[in-house]
Amino acid sequence: MRGEVLIVGGGVAGCAASIALARKGRSVTLIEREATPRHKVCGEFLSGEALEDLDALGIEVTSLGAVPIEYVRLAAARRAAEAPLPFPAASLTRKALDTALIAEAIAAGVRVERGSSVQELSRTPGDVWQATLDNGATHEAPTVFLATGKHDLRGHSRPKDPQQWVAFKMYFRLAPAQAAELADASELMLYPGGYGGIQPVEGGIANLCWVVQKRYLPHTGDRWEALLARMQKDCPHLGMRLAGAEPLLAKPIAITHIPYGYVRRTTEDGLYCVGDQAAVIPSFTGDGISIALHTARYGVAAYLAAEPAPLFQAKLRTALLHQMRLAEFAADGLNNALARAVLPFCLRVWPGVMRVTARLTRVVQDADVAPQLVAS
Ligand SMILES: Cc1cc2nc3c(=O)[nH]c(=O)nc-3n(C[C@H](O)[C@H](O)[C@H](O)COP(=O)(O)OP(=O)(O)OC[C@H]3O[C@@H](n4cnc5c(N)ncnc54)[C@H](O)[C@@H]3O)c2cc1C
């Protein structure tokens, strides 16, 4: 099969790019390996920039049940501090978001093929990209958007994750008093070896998503209940939130290999890398979805302006590097025992620090490729 643009991966970045391209009259095929959207490891926090981009794509998160998030709380050891978020934010399950994005792509005229995964992506002697699927079919296109998120394609891999992060997500029905206390806040909890976030999502439940370095796992025998028990001991605030909570999945979903801080340096002609394939920001910022949408929009603008993919990738790197390094610096601070001990106290005295950090780790929107340009 041959087309104009092939998009590999139908998550946030792939769907956003496909919708924008289809609305500009391009013929687009999108290949997504899952037959239907599934739960993904994600804190499901939607920052102000993400909300703006989603709105421009025609995704009304409020009608999907998104919960407005007004506050951020930081808890470490026995202390917790709270600050109002300096931008609008919401939370929505990835299942609901990804379902809406795929539906919007189909409505925009994208040819969506679900339930097949791309096994190989290579350049043919005729200078087009050829994707070989697990069912043996092949697709050819002069331009490909690589949007496989956390999953690397052979031959296009990102570097290893030296800290060997492992990430988990679990839904809980909190005890009524705890749900009322969590209210409209996103809570970030610190413990040795990682951090976790809990926040309400639609349906009256809460998402607990956490990361931990692999070397902290063996002490708890790899069992998630034991790991969670240790996290609650190290961060009693989490213990309080989960007291009497009912886990809603048989076990958490988990992923490994998260190369935090990665920003792709270069690419090949005709291959625009977007979303987590372009950059991976530390999760505590809650900005990955925003970056996925942002890089998709930039990629589409570059393609439409006939900007070569290697130039796009280099410019994107320059634009993201500052934010990425700041986020990494802050993440290192969260992982530091002394910082864990003093941070909540400092923030209680000066909640402005939290607001400033939140602002500095946001992706900067460029007027040239504002979200409105992709609106239908
Ligand atoms: C622990 C953790 C917590 C996070 N919390 C937040 C948060 O609260 N807020 C936030 O904004 N960001 C968060 N993020 C980041 C966010 O989840 C990602 O940055 C975002 O999902 C990236 O979007 P994407 O489109 O690149 O990838 P995805 O949304 O993951 O989509 C990739 C798609 O490609 C498909 N695919 C993969 N391989 C193939 C293949 N070979 N062929 C066909 N299809 C394929 C997959 O099935 C998937 O649907 C978090 C990340 C982690 C690890």
Side-chain angles (χ1 to χ4, degrees):
M1 204 165 290
R2 203 164 171 153
E4 197 178 350
V5 182
L6 179 66
I7 308 229
V8 185
V12 177
C15 283
S18 73
I19 295 166
L21 286 164
R23 285 182 186 165
K24 292 288 176 191
R26 305 303 161 123
S27 121
V28 188
T29 300
L30 181 149
I31 298 171
E32 164 55 44
R33 70 177 191 174
E34 302 294 347
T36 51
R38 298 204 320 196
H39 289 307
K40 281 181 179 156
V41 177
C42 184
E44 305 183 324
F45 175 87
L46 296 173
S47 66
E49 296 87 356
L51 292 175
E52 207 183 319
D53 266 303
L54 288 170
D55 189 54
L57 289 169
I59 310 292
E60 292 176 14
V61 297
T62 310
S63 65
L64 299 174
V67 179
I69 300 290
E70 308 279 351
Y71 293 91
V72 57
R73 254 175 236 137
L74 179 75
R78 302 199 166 271
R79 298 198 181 88
E82 173 182 292
L85 272 169
F87 45 76
S91 68
L92 180 69
T93 57
R94 286 302 303 271
K95 209 168 169 181
L97 179 61
D98 290 4
T99 303
L101 280 165
I102 286 270
E104 194 62 43
I106 293 169
V110 177
R111 195 180 158 276
V112 176
E113 190 172 327
R114 282 189 275 185
S116 316
S117 98
V118 170
Q119 299 289 296
E120 203 176 327
L121 182 65
S122 54
R123 202 104 167 121
T124 68
D127 251 8
V128 292
W129 286 98
Q130 184 180 66
T132 308
L133 276 53
D134 53 356
N135 59 14
T138 57
H139 283 261
E140 286 189 355
T143 302
V144 172
F145 278 66
L146 183 63
T148 52
K150 300 151 186 74
H151 310 277
D152 288 338
L153 272 191
R154 205 172 346 122
H156 305 276
S157 300
R158 299 163 303 163
K160 292 260 170 289
D161 151 27
Q163 290 180 304
Q164 299 192 293
W165 289 101
V166 186
F168 300 86
K169 179 175 90 173
M170 177 59 133
Y171 291 113
F172 286 95
R173 189 172 303 284
L174 299 184
Q178 292 305 320
E181 271 194 32
L182 177 61
D184 50 0
S186 177
E187 296 188 331
L188 180 65
M189 279 159 286
L190 313 182
Y191 43 81
Y195 53 84
I198 190 164
Q199 58 175 21
V201 288
E202 73 270 21
I205 61 174
N207 167 343
L208 174 68
C209 186
W210 71 97
V211 293
V212 64
Q213 288 165 21
K214 199 173 172 188
R215 67 196 163 93
Y216 282 79
L217 282 180
H219 307 300
T220 55
D222 272 344
R223 286 189 53 83
W224 70 274
E225 292 96 337
L227 173 65
L228 208 51
R230 200 187 64 192
M231 285 158 49
Q232 293 177 70
K233 191 163 157 273
D234 290 330
C235 182
H237 185 89
L238 178 60
M240 178 183 75
R241 279 290 170 263
L242 295 185
E246 176 197 356
L248 298 175
L249 305 174
K251 59 179 186 168
I253 48 170
I255 54 161
T256 56
H257 180 52
I258 315 162
Y260 286 132
Y262 168 72
V263 187
R264 194 176 283 265
R265 279 179 190 279
T266 186
T267 184
E268 295 170 66
D269 275 340
L271 184 66
Y272 296 80
C273 302
V274 292
D276 278 1
Q277 286 294 315
V280 185
I281 193 153
S283 301
F284 81 91
T285 60
D287 218 22
I289 293 172
S290 164
I291 290 183
L293 293 162
H294 176 87
T295 54
R297 182 153 42 81
Y298 261 72
V300 167
Y303 167 74
L304 294 174
E307 184 170 280
L311 181 58
F312 152 74
Q313 216 72 54
K315 283 166 80 172
L316 187 67
R317 179 179 162 82
T318 307
L320 293 177
L321 214 52
H322 178 65
Q323 176 200 12
M324 196 62 77
R325 294 296 165 254
L326 269 170
E328 273 192 297
F329 178 72
D332 285 347
L334 298 182
N335 273 329
N336 175 296
L338 180 66
R340 266 200 310 278
V342 298
L343 250 178
F345 175 72
C346 296
L347 293 177
R348 205 175 274 176
V349 180
W350 190 24
V353 172
M354 205 165 339
R355 285 200 293 277
V356 171
T357 310
R359 273 203 196 288
L360 287 177
T361 55
R362 295 303 100 191
V363 68
V364 179
Q365 305 283 5
D366 189 330
D368 286 358
V369 277
Q372 293 74 1
L373 293 184
V374 296
S376 50

